[in-house]
Amino acid sequence: MALTMNDVDRFEAARPRLEAIAYRLLGSASEAEDAVQETFLRWQASGVDRVEVPEAWLTKVLTNLCLNQLTSARARRETYVGQWLPEPVLAGDPMLGPADTAEQRESVSYAVMAVLERLSPNERAVYVLREAFDYPHREIAEILDITEAASQQILHRAKKHVAQGKARTEVDEAAARRIVDEFLAAATSGRTEPLVRLLTQDAIAVGDGGGKVPARAKAFEGALAVAKFMRGLFKPSKAKRALVGGSPEVYATSANGDPALVVVLDGRVIGVMCLEVTPDGIAAFRNQVNPDKLERATRRWAATDHGDPLLRVF
């Protein structure tokens, strides 16, 4: 069925919200884009005139598409090479969605996005719709075909899992940037001690190469182990230059609302390192180097002004 321009405009007005929901549900920007496009095709075939509340209809269709995708994704991730981390989304990208409240900011932080992978599909959907988009339980129940009481119980379980997963404590932007600068200075100093002082005792470092870029399958755990890894990571060598094809530039920005380092080579983002900064120090480094999960970041990077690099590595 052909859509009128008004029908298309109504969908396009909803697209940013739909993409933000889908990204939080799937942890993948590319899969979120696909889910929103499939929602558009179903909107096109639906007989739009019979849809009483377009926003509710679109949200229900999208959410259920994402739930189906999550079920199949769990099977795929069992055979995924190495650690699986979400796809990072850089500052200013509309896919990050609303960020007016602490709950909204936390729901898209890289640390919490990683924790959401441990939730059941329904737990993830209730948590995202309630915490990030403030849907009332009545509407969530209608979207998921459950009772209001069930929605409330599911949210309680989901929030408990997220809290156990080390949800971040917010620090202000100036303090976070200062810690990033101190981290880079320590990481390039060639010494371990300055790095250890910046980390929490239970700090971790984990990377996702997807089997396409070398990344350790097991996380580094503890301040000393992480510091030694970071010292080695930033140490220049011909082998590293050969591996990546040159000497990449490092920029400071944010991804998913967290302080981040973006590594760029010839205009292409080849790595995003998200730092989980707490009042006690840096608690985690989550490094995304799988090229399949950096395509949107590269497009975003090319379309924005990012200033001068902090350093050139390798």
Side-chain angles (χ1 to χ4, degrees), residues 138-289:
R138 174 182 54 79
E139 292 185 28
I140 295 173
E142 291 173 359
I143 290 169
L144 299 178
D145 293 323
I146 58 177
T147 65
E148 244 183 283
S151 177
Q152 293 168 343
Q153 290 169 355
I154 290 170
L155 178 66
H156 178 74
R157 290 200 307 270
K159 291 176 74 171
K160 187 175 180 180
H161 288 312
V162 170
Q164 291 172 344
K166 203 175 183 179
R168 68 177 181 173
T169 302
E170 287 193 287
V171 297
D172 64 72
E173 186 175 345
R177 177 56 190 269
R178 185 167 60 252
I179 291 176
V180 169
D181 290 340
E182 291 174 355
F183 162 70
L184 275 179
T188 55
S189 70
R191 296 167 56 228
T192 303
E193 294 81 4
L195 278 166
V196 171
R197 287 196 293 270
L198 293 175
L199 309 178
T200 62
Q201 286 301 305
D202 59 349
I204 64 166
V206 59
D208 178 350
K212 299 185 176 184
V213 174
R216 180 181 164 95
K218 190 175 186 300
F220 291 92
E221 298 180 357
L224 184 59
V226 171
K228 288 180 177 179
F229 167 66
M230 288 296 167
R231 184 190 63 190
L233 183 65
F234 282 88
K235 185 177 180 180
S237 75
K238 290 182 180 180
K240 291 175 185 173
R241 287 194 294 273
L243 180 65
V244 302
S247 296
E249 298 172 332
V250 177
Y251 296 81
T253 183
S254 68
N256 295 72
D258 295 319
L261 297 174
V262 176
V263 185
V264 182
L265 181 65
D266 298 330
R268 179 171 54 92
V269 175
I270 64 170
V272 177
M273 178 186 289
C274 294
L275 282 66
E276 184 181 345
V277 178
T278 74
D280 297 324
I282 303 172
F285 299 89
R286 296 180 175 90
N287 310 316
Q288 185 55 261
V289 292

Side-chain angles (χ1 to χ4, degrees), residues 2 50 63 74 82 88 130 147 151 163 175 186 235 239:
R50 296 195 295 273
T63 301
R74 286 191 165 213
R130 180 63 187 154
T147 65
S151 177
K235 185 177 180 180

Side-chain angles (χ1 to χ4, degrees), residues 1-307:
M1 182 176 180
L3 296 178
T4 67
M5 284 304 298
N6 184 53
D7 296 331
V8 174
D9 288 345
R10 286 160 75 188
F11 184 87
E12 290 304 319
R15 183 184 290 274
R17 178 180 57 84
L18 295 175
E19 286 193 343
I21 291 173
Y23 171 63
R24 283 170 166 84
L25 288 177
L26 298 173
S28 165
S30 58
E31 291 180 5
E33 290 172 340
D34 291 343
V36 172
Q37 185 58 28
E38 178 61 28
T39 302
F40 174 76
L41 295 176
R42 297 194 180 196
W43 169 252
Q44 187 177 34
S46 67
V48 172
D49 291 342
R50 296 195 295 273
V51 176
E52 294 183 8
V53 185
E55 178 178 316
W57 188 93
L58 291 170
T59 303
K60 183 179 179 71
V61 170
L62 175 80
T63 301
N64 283 283
L65 284 170
C66 290
L67 290 177
N68 291 337
Q69 181 79 359
L70 279 173
T71 301
S72 62
R74 286 191 165 213
R76 291 199 311 274
R77 287 167 195 170
E78 288 178 1
T79 59
Y80 191 82
V81 178
Q83 296 278 346
W84 191 97
L85 289 175
E87 182 174 344
V89 174
L90 300 184
D93 192 318
M95 192 172 275
L96 291 172
D100 298 325
T101 68
E103 290 80 10
Q104 289 171 338
R105 292 189 295 275
E106 181 178 82
S107 72
V108 80
S109 73
Y110 209 57
V112 168
M113 289 288 287
V115 172
L116 292 181
E117 287 298 309
R118 306 176 195 170
L119 304 186
S120 71
N122 265 16
E123 286 173 340
R124 188 163 185 165
V126 172
Y127 180 85
V128 166
L129 292 172
R130 180 63 187 154
E131 294 296 290
F133 295 91
D134 203 28
Y135 278 82
H137 283 289
R138 174 182 54 79
E139 292 185 28
I140 295 173
E142 291 173 359
I143 290 169
L144 299 178
D145 293 323
I146 58 177
T147 65
E148 244 183 283
S151 177
Q152 293 168 343
Q153 290 169 355
I154 290 170
L155 178 66
H156 178 74
R157 290 200 307 270
K159 291 176 74 171
K160 187 175 180 180
H161 288 312
V162 170
Q164 291 172 344
K166 203 175 183 179
R168 68 177 181 173
T169 302
E170 287 193 287
V171 297
D172 64 72
E173 186 175 345
R177 177 56 190 269
R178 185 167 60 252
I179 291 176
V180 169
D181 290 340
E182 291 174 355
F183 162 70
L184 275 179
T188 55
S189 70
R191 296 167 56 228
T192 303
E193 294 81 4
L195 278 166
V196 171
R197 287 196 293 270
L198 293 175
L199 309 178
T200 62
Q201 286 301 305
D202 59 349
I204 64 166
V206 59
D208 178 350
K212 299 185 176 184
V213 174
R216 180 181 164 95
K218 190 175 186 300
F220 291 92
E221 298 180 357
L224 184 59
V226 171
K228 288 180 177 179
F229 167 66
M230 288 296 167
R231 184 190 63 190
L233 183 65
F234 282 88
K235 185 177 180 180
S237 75
K238 290 182 180 180
K240 291 175 185 173
R241 287 194 294 273
L243 180 65
V244 302
S247 296
E249 298 172 332
V250 177
Y251 296 81
T253 183
S254 68
N256 295 72
D258 295 319
L261 297 174
V262 176
V263 185
V264 182
L265 181 65
D266 298 330
R268 179 171 54 92
V269 175
I270 64 170
V272 177
M273 178 186 289
C274 294
L275 282 66
E276 184 181 345
V277 178
T278 74
D280 297 324
I282 303 172
F285 299 89
R286 296 180 175 90
N287 310 316
Q288 185 55 261
V289 292
N290 183 346
D292 294 342
K293 297 182 182 182
L294 296 172
E295 293 179 359
R296 186 180 178 99
T298 293
R299 295 198 305 270
R300 181 75 191 173
W301 192 257
T304 56
D305 179 18
H306 32 71

